[in-house]
Amino acid sequence: MSGFILNELLDKLRNRDASDTRFGSGLELRVAKADAKNRLVVYEYEVTEDEVYRGYLDSGWLSTVVDNATDPLIRAVVSNNNTVTTSLTVNTLEPALVGCRLEIICRLVQFEGRLVQAVVTFRDAVRKGVVYATGVHTAVYRDNVAKL
């Protein structure tokens, strides 16, 4: 992977250029930090009543965020758009209140061979030890789907 390509992507994210995003691009995630060396993007978000269900972050909203927040990282390391999501997992861990500020930490953890994977941590922006949810986005090259 070219560091230049990842830096270019991170610049787009910092400037709120959503031209490379797909579904959910209307999410109002604010880039707080972008670190090409560590393959990391941190977003900030204030939780609204639409994102809380029965006291926890809504799993549908979490899935949308995991998919859309990690997709640019995944696309930055693959040589083309020849990948498909094979697994997207979210786990709610702690109750969340409307109005709490989140840090959504996205990190690319694997990008070798046929597999690309990113992890996401949804933690409280003030109480850093409180993790509300986690997510994992796994993609493979289309040519390798039959081999799974």
Side-chain angles (χ1 to χ4, degrees):
M1 175 191 75
S2 165
F4 176 76
I5 293 171
L6 189 56
N7 280 319
E8 186 177 89
L9 162 79
L10 296 177
D11 285 341
K12 280 184 167 186
L13 290 172
R14 283 186 205 100
N15 295 321
R16 302 186 60 76
D17 177 352
S19 62
D20 289 336
T21 60
R22 298 183 305 231
F23 307 109
S25 60
L27 291 170
E28 292 296 324
L29 303 177
R30 187 180 78 71
V31 176
K33 178 181 179 182
D35 181 348
K37 180 180 178 185
N38 292 308
R39 297 170 179 86
L40 170 83
V41 177
V42 179
Y43 299 93
E44 289 183 347
Y45 187 81
E46 186 169 322
V47 175
T48 70
E49 63 184 20
D50 292 336
E51 289 98 35
V52 177
Y53 179 71
R54 295 185 178 177
Y56 289 83
L57 293 174
D58 179 74
S59 60
W61 179 79
L62 288 169
S63 297
T64 299
V65 173
V66 168
D67 188 22
N68 286 275
T70 59
D71 190 60
L73 282 173
I74 289 171
R75 291 178 57 174
V77 298
V78 297
S79 58
N80 54 37
N81 289 332
N82 193 29
T83 60
V84 61
T85 296
T86 55
S87 176
L88 197 140
T89 306
V90 295
N91 298 293
T92 55
L93 304 171
E94 294 286 336
L97 298 174
V98 171
C100 71
R101 286 188 10 245
L102 296 178
E103 282 184 335
I104 303 168
I105 305 159
C106 305
R107 182 183 307 274
L108 204 57
V109 293
Q110 185 171 355
F111 51 94
E112 295 179 13
R114 64 184 186 195
L115 183 71
V116 182
Q117 192 171 62
V119 296
V120 181
T121 302
F122 296 80
R123 78 175 181 192
D124 194 287
V126 177
R127 299 176 297 146
K128 305 283 188 189
V130 177
V131 176
Y132 297 110
T134 60
V136 179
H137 184 175
T138 305
V140 298
Y141 286 94
R142 293 180 198 274
D143 302 344
N144 293 307
V145 171
K147 297 175 187 173
L148 295 178

